[in-house]
Amino acid sequence: MNFPKHVKCIGSLTGITLLVACGGNSDPLTKELNRHLEVDIQDFDVDKSNLHPGQSLDIEWRSEGAVLFDAHLYLSEDRTVSNSDIQIVDEKCGVEHNDHCHAAREVEFTCEFYSDNYFGCYEDGDNIGTEDLTEYLTQLPFENYLILELCSHGDCETRVHRLTFY
């Protein structure tokens, strides 16, 4: 990697993360360092596998590697992302503190299934995505998958969790 003369290359990934945390998402050094890092999902935990109207579920995830990436949360009838899936969350993630998903810490989303078939996700009380599932839920119970996808420079990593709506 070629860095400007005034920047010392720190050998560990942790050191690079600390170095880029000083800049922001639009900092040229952050962008250059990020180009050489692949996104990697370290953890993806969902506290429920069954969801009834009026209930919520907690989603926790943590990434490693890339510090600038896109986070997507889908509902899918199978285990792979496709055009027929419903995208609930579409967030740009980085190192700045105002992001709903932050590269340097664990991220928590709370998603609620409302009695009118809406499904909405929140982070720190902010709505980050709500969709009407009326046409998607062809019958109840409805078994599907919750897919977390993190992408950086065309490289995507996914994790899947089975979820049944009642």
Side-chain angles (χ1 to χ4, degrees):
M1 240 183 282
N2 294 324
F3 297 103
K5 290 181 183 179
H6 64 279
V7 176
K8 292 184 180 179
C9 181
I10 300 172
S12 72
L13 179 59
T14 305
I16 291 174
T17 301
L18 291 175
L19 178 64
V20 298
C22 297
N25 292 346
S26 59
D27 181 62
L29 179 58
T30 303
K31 289 181 178 182
E32 176 62 24
L33 288 171
N34 193 70
R35 266 190 8 183
H36 302 283
L37 301 172
E38 293 182 2
V39 68
D40 184 21
I41 299 172
Q42 291 300 302
D43 294 308
F44 177 52
D45 296 314
V46 181
D47 71 340
K48 291 184 176 113
S49 294
N50 299 320
L51 199 57
H52 295 268
Q55 288 186 326
S56 62
L57 57 87
D58 292 324
I59 300 167
E60 295 178 358
W61 57 271
R62 184 175 191 84
S63 66
E64 190 172 279
V67 294
L68 301 175
F69 55 91
D70 296 327
H72 309 283
L73 188 65
Y74 297 97
L75 290 174
S76 178
E77 292 187 41
D78 57 28
R79 300 177 64 85
T80 59
V81 176
S82 69
N83 290 338
S84 62
D85 297 341
I86 295 182
Q87 184 174 0
I88 305 297
V89 173
D90 179 17
E91 287 289 320
K92 301 255 184 251
C93 306
V95 294
E96 293 184 28
H97 296 291
N98 60 350
D99 292 330
H100 287 291
C101 50
H102 198 277
R105 66 175 170 88
E106 185 171 271
V107 177
E108 292 183 29
F109 294 157
T110 298
C111 299
E112 188 165 345
F113 180 42
Y114 300 99
S115 59
D116 59 359
N117 289 334
Y118 277 83
F119 185 76
C121 294
Y122 303 85
E123 196 272 337
D124 287 339
D126 293 334
N127 183 337
I128 54 174
T130 301
E131 292 293 327
D132 182 355
L133 303 183
T134 303
E135 292 184 27
Y136 179 72
L137 301 174
T138 55
Q139 65 181 16
L140 293 175
F142 186 80
E143 293 182 3
N144 72 138
Y145 298 90
L146 193 61
I147 301 175
L148 173 67
E149 178 185 63
L150 304 182
C151 298
S152 179
H153 302 295
D155 172 48
C156 296
E157 178 89 14
T158 61
R159 292 291 184 273
V160 179
H161 179 81
R162 187 177 194 92
L163 180 64
T164 303
F165 288 95
Y166 284 90

PDB file of all heavy atoms in Angstrom, residues 149-164:
ATOM      1  N   GLU A 149     -26.729  -8.239   4.623  1.00  0.00           N
ATOM      2  CA  GLU A 149     -25.711  -8.172   3.572  1.00  0.00           C
ATOM      3  C   GLU A 149     -24.889  -6.902   3.776  1.00  0.00           C
ATOM      4  O   GLU A 149     -25.440  -5.808   3.857  1.00  0.00           O
ATOM      5  CB  GLU A 149     -26.375  -8.146   2.196  1.00  0.00           C
ATOM      6  CG  GLU A 149     -25.383  -8.022   1.053  1.00  0.00           C
ATOM      7  CD  GLU A 149     -26.076  -7.881  -0.292  1.00  0.00           C
ATOM      8  OE1 GLU A 149     -26.795  -6.871  -0.484  1.00  0.00           O
ATOM      9  OE2 GLU A 149     -25.888  -8.771  -1.126  1.00  0.00           O
ATOM     10  N   LEU A 150     -23.572  -7.058   3.861  1.00  0.00           N
ATOM     11  CA  LEU A 150     -22.654  -5.927   3.942  1.00  0.00           C
ATOM     12  C   LEU A 150     -21.802  -5.942   2.687  1.00  0.00           C
ATOM     13  O   LEU A 150     -21.236  -6.979   2.337  1.00  0.00           O
ATOM     14  CB  LEU A 150     -21.767  -6.023   5.184  1.00  0.00           C
ATOM     15  CG  LEU A 150     -22.466  -6.148   6.538  1.00  0.00           C
ATOM     16  CD1 LEU A 150     -21.439  -6.172   7.661  1.00  0.00           C
ATOM     17  CD2 LEU A 150     -23.478  -5.054   6.753  1.00  0.00           C
ATOM     18  N   CYS A 151     -21.711  -4.790   1.999  1.00  0.00           N
ATOM     19  CA  CYS A 151     -20.983  -4.719   0.727  1.00  0.00           C
ATOM     20  C   CYS A 151     -20.017  -3.546   0.718  1.00  0.00           C
ATOM     21  O   CYS A 151     -20.347  -2.450   1.164  1.00  0.00           O
ATOM     22  CB  CYS A 151     -21.948  -4.542  -0.443  1.00  0.00           C
ATOM     23  SG  CYS A 151     -23.103  -5.901  -0.658  1.00  0.00           S
ATOM     24  N   SER A 152     -18.837  -3.795   0.150  1.00  0.00           N
ATOM     25  CA  SER A 152     -17.836  -2.758  -0.049  1.00  0.00           C
ATOM     26  C   SER A 152     -17.122  -3.045  -1.353  1.00  0.00           C
ATOM     27  O   SER A 152     -16.574  -4.143  -1.533  1.00  0.00           O
ATOM     28  CB  SER A 152     -16.838  -2.754   1.117  1.00  0.00           C
ATOM     29  OG  SER A 152     -15.849  -1.776   0.915  1.00  0.00           O
ATOM     30  N   HIS A 153     -17.129  -2.092  -2.265  1.00  0.00           N
ATOM     31  CA  HIS A 153     -16.450  -2.210  -3.564  1.00  0.00           C
ATOM     32  C   HIS A 153     -16.861  -3.469  -4.327  1.00  0.00           C
ATOM     33  O   HIS A 153     -16.025  -4.161  -4.894  1.00  0.00           O
ATOM     34  CB  HIS A 153     -14.932  -2.171  -3.404  1.00  0.00           C
ATOM     35  CG  HIS A 153     -14.436  -0.942  -2.735  1.00  0.00           C
ATOM     36  ND1 HIS A 153     -14.565   0.298  -3.294  1.00  0.00           N
ATOM     37  CD2 HIS A 153     -13.833  -0.762  -1.539  1.00  0.00           C
ATOM     38  CE1 HIS A 153     -14.058   1.194  -2.487  1.00  0.00           C
ATOM     39  NE2 HIS A 153     -13.615   0.590  -1.417  1.00  0.00           N
ATOM     40  N   GLY A 154     -18.141  -3.802  -4.302  1.00  0.00           N
ATOM     41  CA  GLY A 154     -18.633  -4.964  -5.035  1.00  0.00           C
ATOM     42  C   GLY A 154     -18.432  -6.285  -4.318  1.00  0.00           C
ATOM     43  O   GLY A 154     -18.916  -7.320  -4.756  1.00  0.00           O
ATOM     44  N   ASP A 155     -17.720  -6.293  -3.200  1.00  0.00           N
ATOM     45  CA  ASP A 155     -17.508  -7.494  -2.400  1.00  0.00           C
ATOM     46  C   ASP A 155     -18.582  -7.519  -1.320  1.00  0.00           C
ATOM     47  O   ASP A 155     -18.676  -6.583  -0.519  1.00  0.00           O
ATOM     48  CB  ASP A 155     -16.109  -7.449  -1.759  1.00  0.00           C
ATOM     49  CG  ASP A 155     -15.896  -8.571  -0.759  1.00  0.00           C
ATOM     50  OD1 ASP A 155     -16.204  -9.724  -1.108  1.00  0.00           O
ATOM     51  OD2 ASP A 155     -15.430  -8.281   0.359  1.00  0.00           O
ATOM     52  N   CYS A 156     -19.403  -8.570  -1.314  1.00  0.00           N
ATOM     53  CA  CYS A 156     -20.493  -8.657  -0.339  1.00  0.00           C
ATOM     54  C   CYS A 156     -20.353  -9.896   0.525  1.00  0.00           C
ATOM     55  O   CYS A 156     -19.946 -10.953   0.057  1.00  0.00           O
ATOM     56  CB  CYS A 156     -21.840  -8.696  -1.043  1.00  0.00           C
ATOM     57  SG  CYS A 156     -22.228  -7.198  -1.964  1.00  0.00           S
ATOM     58  N   GLU A 157     -20.722  -9.738   1.773  1.00  0.00           N
ATOM     59  CA  GLU A 157     -20.740 -10.826   2.743  1.00  0.00           C
ATOM     60  C   GLU A 157     -22.169 -10.900   3.274  1.00  0.00           C
ATOM     61  O   GLU A 157     -22.781  -9.869   3.557  1.00  0.00           O
ATOM     62  CB  GLU A 157     -19.758 -10.501   3.867  1.00  0.00           C
ATOM     63  CG  GLU A 157     -19.692 -11.507   4.961  1.00  0.00           C
ATOM     64  CD  GLU A 157     -18.666 -12.599   4.697  1.00  0.00           C
ATOM     65  OE1 GLU A 157     -17.822 -12.430   3.791  1.00  0.00           O
ATOM     66  OE2 GLU A 157     -18.721 -13.615   5.381  1.00  0.00           O
ATOM     67  N   THR A 158     -22.737 -12.089   3.397  1.00  0.00           N
ATOM     68  CA  THR A 158     -24.104 -12.234   3.901  1.00  0.00           C
ATOM     69  C   THR A 158     -24.154 -13.228   5.052  1.00  0.00           C
ATOM     70  O   THR A 158     -23.344 -14.144   5.139  1.00  0.00           O
ATOM     71  CB  THR A 158     -25.090 -12.706   2.803  1.00  0.00           C
ATOM     72  OG1 THR A 158     -24.670 -13.987   2.321  1.00  0.00           O
ATOM     73  CG2 THR A 158     -25.171 -11.727   1.662  1.00  0.00           C
ATOM     74  N   ARG A 159     -25.146 -13.022   5.905  1.00  0.00           N
ATOM     75  CA  ARG A 159     -25.501 -13.966   6.960  1.00  0.00           C
ATOM     76  C   ARG A 159     -27.024 -14.095   6.933  1.00  0.00           C
ATOM     77  O   ARG A 159     -27.735 -13.132   6.646  1.00  0.00           O
ATOM     78  CB  ARG A 159     -25.060 -13.491   8.345  1.00  0.00           C
ATOM     79  CG  ARG A 159     -23.564 -13.466   8.535  1.00  0.00           C
ATOM     80  CD  ARG A 159     -22.972 -14.869   8.580  1.00  0.00           C
ATOM     81  NE  ARG A 159     -21.556 -14.847   8.865  1.00  0.00           N
ATOM     82  CZ  ARG A 159     -20.603 -14.726   7.957  1.00  0.00           C
ATOM     83  NH1 ARG A 159     -20.906 -14.599   6.695  1.00  0.00           N
ATOM     84  NH2 ARG A 159     -19.340 -14.735   8.305  1.00  0.00           N
ATOM     85  N   VAL A 160     -27.513 -15.284   7.277  1.00  0.00           N
ATOM     86  CA  VAL A 160     -28.936 -15.599   7.134  1.00  0.00           C
ATOM     87  C   VAL A 160     -29.490 -16.110   8.460  1.00  0.00           C
ATOM     88  O   VAL A 160     -28.826 -16.866   9.179  1.00  0.00           O
ATOM     89  CB  VAL A 160     -29.123 -16.671   6.032  1.00  0.00           C
ATOM     90  CG1 VAL A 160     -30.581 -17.039   5.881  1.00  0.00           C
ATOM     91  CG2 VAL A 160     -28.541 -16.199   4.717  1.00  0.00           C
ATOM     92  N   HIS A 161     -30.738 -15.718   8.761  1.00  0.00           N
ATOM     93  CA  HIS A 161     -31.444 -16.198   9.950  1.00  0.00           C
ATOM     94  C   HIS A 161     -32.881 -16.528   9.543  1.00  0.00           C
ATOM     95  O   HIS A 161     -33.557 -15.700   8.930  1.00  0.00           O
ATOM     96  CB  HIS A 161     -31.433 -15.126  11.045  1.00  0.00           C
ATOM     97  CG  HIS A 161     -32.151 -15.533  12.282  1.00  0.00           C
ATOM     98  ND1 HIS A 161     -31.583 -16.331  13.249  1.00  0.00           N
ATOM     99  CD2 HIS A 161     -33.411 -15.270  12.709  1.00  0.00           C
ATOM    100  CE1 HIS A 161     -32.453 -16.525  14.223  1.00  0.00           C
ATOM    101  NE2 HIS A 161     -33.573 -15.887  13.905  1.00  0.00           N
ATOM    102  N   ARG A 162     -33.342 -17.727   9.865  1.00  0.00           N
ATOM    103  CA  ARG A 162     -34.717 -18.129   9.547  1.00  0.00           C
ATOM    104  C   ARG A 162     -35.680 -17.360  10.460  1.00  0.00           C
ATOM    105  O   ARG A 162     -35.449 -17.201  11.656  1.00  0.00           O
ATOM    106  CB  ARG A 162     -34.870 -19.629   9.748  1.00  0.00           C
ATOM    107  CG  ARG A 162     -36.210 -20.135   9.273  1.00  0.00           C
ATOM    108  CD  ARG A 162     -36.260 -21.670   9.428  1.00  0.00           C
ATOM    109  NE  ARG A 162     -37.382 -22.159   8.689  1.00  0.00           N
ATOM    110  CZ  ARG A 162     -37.356 -22.569   7.430  1.00  0.00           C
ATOM    111  NH1 ARG A 162     -36.221 -22.582   6.777  1.00  0.00           N
ATOM    112  NH2 ARG A 162     -38.427 -22.987   6.819  1.00  0.00           N
ATOM    113  N   LEU A 163     -36.793 -16.885   9.860  1.00  0.00           N
ATOM    114  CA  LEU A 163     -37.780 -16.103  10.595  1.00  0.00           C
ATOM    115  C   LEU A 163     -39.172 -16.493  10.130  1.00  0.00           C
ATOM    116  O   LEU A 163     -39.426 -16.518   8.913  1.00  0.00           O
ATOM    117  CB  LEU A 163     -37.541 -14.599  10.371  1.00  0.00           C
ATOM    118  CG  LEU A 163     -38.477 -13.627  11.063  1.00  0.00           C
ATOM    119  CD1 LEU A 163     -38.343 -13.725  12.585  1.00  0.00           C
ATOM    120  CD2 LEU A 163     -38.191 -12.198  10.613  1.00  0.00           C
ATOM    121  N   THR A 164     -40.065 -16.801  11.070  1.00  0.00           N
ATOM    122  CA  THR A 164     -41.435 -17.159  10.733  1.00  0.00           C
ATOM    123  C   THR A 164     -42.382 -16.098  11.283  1.00  0.00           C
ATOM    124  O   THR A 164     -42.347 -15.781  12.474  1.00  0.00           O
ATOM    125  CB  THR A 164     -41.801 -18.530  11.323  1.00  0.00           C
ATOM    126  OG1 THR A 164     -40.880 -19.507  10.835  1.00  0.00           O
ATOM    127  CG2 THR A 164     -43.210 -18.933  10.926  1.00  0.00           C
TER     128      THR A 164
END
